[in-house]
Amino acid sequence: MAENYPTKSDGKKGVQDAQVAVVMVPLPAQGHLNQLLHFSRLISSYNIPVHYVGATTHIRQAKFRVHGFDPVTVKNVHFHEFPTPPFENPPPNPNASTKFPNQLIPSFYATIHLREPVCSLVCQLLDTNHRRVIVIFDSMMTWVVEDVPAILNAECYCFNSISAFHMYSLFWEIKGKPYQAGSELYEDIPSLESCSTPEIWELWRKQESLMGKVSSGELYNSSRVIEGLYLDLVAKENDGLNLWALGPFNPLLSEQNKESNKHHQTLYWLDKQETNSVIYVSFGTTTSLSNEEIEELAIGLEKSLQKFIWVLRDADKGDVFAGEERRAPLPEGYEERIKGRGIIVRDWAPQLEILAHTSTGGFMSHCGWNSCMESISMGVPIAAWPIHSDQPRNSQLVTKFLKVGVIVRHWACRDELVTSEIVANAVRTLMASPEGDVMRKRASELSTVVKQSVMDGGVNRTKEKEMAFTEDLDDSGLNTSFPSANLSKNLGLKEDHYPPVEVPSYWP
């Protein structure tokens, strides 16, 4: 029974004796790899072994880029590198009319070859010391785990790498945009087709029919203090879907415990700056700006007269370690002119530590959900520049619903060049105006409430609560009630007891 399961404070049993193991199956794109790797750290901290799977290059990518903790030191996370056939690895096109990262599609299709090794791993874990295996898979990796539910004592849960706000907007759009609670926030967002490409929709269609057959419930890297209304609406639209908001997955860093990347140049520089004086500029790993866009952004940051850290790099390829990357040009003499006021980073930057630093007062972002959750949990307001996919809706959540950001690029104007004047005005608004100060205060308050919800309820990391996977095991060790569809019992990750939100103006 559950009381026999070892917890972090139970020194009598080791992780090898754990009755339950977890298998993580991420989509091989950085924002997806990163979220499930952080979630692996959380689960493993309760002496639950986690097996993180993928192609060799993507396991290497996930470990190389993780920030906020060192995966080598997390003994309960085991990485499995499975071979996949070679796939095309085209470079991103910075001049594409649609910015969706189609260059990643070949690597997504290659994941179908993980189906057999993942199934074999689940069987192997059940044949050893584990009585139950929980498989947590990215919603775009359903075809990899479709055989798992047929295995006795194995169960799957779908991880949605997007916000509940975005998910509900899908239902709202499909139903003809009826007016329901909060739906007015979507009025200026066009159809989904404008946010992606036919190639990714085709990939989704190939897996959509499997979802209801595979998953016992859905997980979100979110929190009820951020998206309570929309989590409830998503569950309602799915006839009472089993749904859990277990975020934030990322470590909640403080100035005292962020030493893992202390050697990075940006952190040394931030140490010398005033509180809330620097805006961090990064568009994630799936966006390549054109030379013209880069020039306007560069001039806009210069015109703003604000301090900044700008991560200027191309979007990822399917294999980030193969081939050379484009080095986008900056205006002549630019880096000399901004010396002392700005830093250009051409490689990987420790985003979590930068956002956690007291000198960082704003974040110009594409509004990918991973970046949104990191920024919200660190209390940093956002200058929203959505590019594709769920980002336009996330920008609405940040600016209209949570009121912790300002729009830089209006989605209705997505085909127009964002000029240097637009950039400068947005940066000044966020960093040097009373309006920006209000957003910063609101972001700080929201961060505090999110952190309190983690301490007082949800994934209780301070009181070391037991993760009781074994609730329904009989004396023989066989589960008698699969699918249990009860993650509170299976994972012990309860998210129903958050303290009330103290800032009612956040809610529509």
Side-chain angles (χ1 to χ4, degrees):
M1 299 300 293
E3 60 267 22
N4 295 323
Y5 184 74
T7 67
K8 286 196 292 186
S9 58
D10 182 356
K12 296 179 180 180
K13 293 185 178 182
V15 69
Q16 69 273 14
D17 300 310
Q19 297 183 52
V20 175
V22 173
V23 175
M24 290 286 182
V25 187
L27 182 76
Q30 182 59 36
H32 301 245
L33 292 166
N34 193 51
Q35 290 189 69
L36 284 187
L37 185 52
H38 282 305
F39 192 27
S40 298
R41 177 192 64 88
L42 283 179
I43 294 176
S44 70
S45 69
Y46 291 84
N47 263 3
I48 297 171
V50 180
H51 299 264
Y52 187 95
V53 307
T56 299
T57 186
H58 299 124
I59 294 294
R60 180 185 173 197
Q61 175 182 335
K63 291 195 290 186
F64 177 74
R65 290 179 169 180
V66 69
H67 44 248
F69 76 102
D70 184 353
V72 175
T73 66
V74 183
K75 296 180 181 179
N76 296 347
V77 176
H78 310 278
F79 295 94
H80 297 263
E81 301 178 8
F82 294 130
T84 58
F87 50 80
E88 292 182 30
N89 195 41
N93 179 6
N95 300 308
S97 56
T98 301
K99 294 287 190 179
F100 187 87
N102 273 343
Q103 74 275 4
L104 299 180
I105 297 292
S107 65
F108 294 168
Y109 272 101
T111 63
I112 187 62
H113 296 280
L114 298 176
R115 179 177 173 182
E116 189 281 328
V118 167
C119 188
S120 296
L121 174 62
V122 172
C123 292
Q124 177 186 344
L125 292 171
L126 287 167
D127 284 342
T128 55
N129 294 332
H130 306 298
R131 296 183 176 185
R132 177 183 292 179
V133 173
I134 303 297
V135 179
I136 297 173
F137 66 97
D138 191 286
S139 60
M140 295 293 286
M141 296 287 279
T142 310
W143 56 9
V144 173
V145 301
E146 63 177 293
D147 303 316
V148 172
I151 302 172
L152 184 64
N153 284 326
E155 188 172 19
C156 292
Y157 291 90
C158 173
F159 168 65
N160 290 304
S161 62
I162 57 178
S163 64
F165 183 88
H166 175 75
M167 181 64 79
Y168 177 65
S169 77
L170 304 183
F171 298 123
W172 183 79
E173 183 172 332
I174 290 168
K175 288 195 169 187
K177 303 183 180 181
Y179 284 95
Q180 298 182 28
S183 63
E184 68 276 2
L185 302 180
Y186 304 121
E187 287 181 355
D188 59 351
I189 298 180
S191 65
L192 288 169
E193 282 72 16
S194 67
C195 305
S196 57
T197 61
E199 289 83 357
I200 195 65
W201 284 114
E202 179 62 23
L203 180 65
W204 173 253
R205 280 192 289 268
K206 290 179 181 296
Q207 304 186 61
E208 184 180 15
S209 62
L210 298 171
M211 184 62 67
K213 303 174 184 177
V214 170
S215 180
S216 295
E218 297 189 0
L219 314 181
Y220 285 85
N221 179 16
S222 189
S223 165
R224 287 197 171 275
V225 301
I226 300 173
E227 297 195 281
L229 169 63
Y230 296 97
L231 288 160
D232 290 341
L233 287 171
V234 168
K236 182 179 178 181
E237 290 290 339
N238 280 277
D239 298 321
L241 171 77
N242 291 289
L243 179 153
W244 297 268
L246 303 174
F249 291 170
N250 56 270
L252 300 177
L253 302 175
S254 69
E255 289 296 298
Q256 287 72 41
N257 66 2
K258 59 180 182 58
E259 296 297 319
S260 61
N261 283 292
K262 192 63 180 176
H263 61 281
H264 199 272
Q265 58 167 329
T266 55
L267 300 177
Y268 282 124
W269 185 77
L270 282 170
D271 286 342
K272 301 174 184 177
Q273 312 308 318
E274 297 176 357
T275 300
N276 291 330
S277 64
V278 178
I279 185 168
Y280 172 61
V281 182
S282 176
F283 297 99
T285 57
T286 60
T287 297
S288 290
L289 298 180
S290 68
N291 289 350
E292 188 178 18
E293 289 171 318
I294 289 170
E295 182 174 7
E296 292 295 325
L297 176 54
I299 295 171
L301 290 172
E302 186 177 9
K303 283 182 178 179
S304 76
L305 301 180
Q306 303 302 306
K307 296 178 180 180
F308 64 89
I309 295 173
W310 179 10
V311 179
L312 176 57
R313 53 188 305 278
D314 245 9
D316 284 347
K317 304 183 293 293
D319 182 349
V320 300
F321 301 104
E324 296 183 359
E325 290 187 9
R326 159 181 171 252
R327 186 178 176 87
L330 287 166
E332 186 175 353
Y334 183 77
E335 294 188 70
E336 184 64 29
R337 294 198 305 272
I338 64 165
K339 186 173 294 185
R341 188 162 59 80
I343 292 181
I344 308 296
V345 180
R346 293 282 191 170
D347 52 12
W348 193 246
Q351 180 165 298
L352 265 177
E353 286 87 344
I354 292 172
L355 291 174
H357 202 287
T358 56
S359 295
T360 302
F363 180 16
M364 183 177 289
S365 171
H366 60 306
C367 289
W369 188 236
N370 199 43
S371 290
C372 286
M373 282 299 294
E374 291 179 355
S375 194
I376 290 169
S377 63
M378 299 304 165
V380 179
I382 294 174
W385 186 328
I387 308 292
H388 61 77
S389 303
D390 59 327
Q391 299 162 18
R393 286 163 169 77
N394 293 342
S395 71
Q396 296 287 305
L397 173 65
V398 166
T399 60
K400 287 189 173 184
F401 177 36
L402 299 176
K403 297 181 173 60
V404 293
V406 60
I407 288 287
V408 181
R409 183 197 198 216
H410 290 272
W411 191 246
C413 305
R414 63 191 177 279
D415 294 327
E416 301 174 13
L417 181 67
V418 178
T419 66
S420 61
E421 199 59 42
I422 292 173
V423 172
N425 287 339
V427 172
R428 284 193 293 261
T429 297
L430 191 66
M431 300 299 296
S433 76
E435 181 183 355
D437 291 339
V438 170
M439 293 177 194
R440 211 161 359 265
K441 182 175 184 294
R442 193 185 299 271
S444 178
E445 291 170 344
L446 183 56
S447 170
T448 297
V449 177
V450 168
K451 290 174 181 176
Q452 287 174 346
S453 75
V454 169
M455 290 187 293
D456 299 335
V459 187
N460 194 316
R461 298 166 206 167
T462 60
K463 297 180 183 178
E464 301 182 351
K465 281 191 176 180
E466 179 178 2
M467 287 182 164
F469 285 89
T470 56
E471 189 74 19
D472 299 319
L473 293 175
D474 63 19
D475 292 339
S476 68
L478 296 179
N479 187 282
T480 57
S481 62
F482 267 5
S484 67
N486 189 339
L487 199 68
S488 294
K489 291 183 178 180
N490 282 347
L491 290 179
L493 303 175
K494 302 173 183 177
E495 50 77 50
D496 299 320
H497 308 293
Y498 293 115
V501 182
E502 299 296 334
V503 192
S505 60
Y506 288 163
W507 303 88

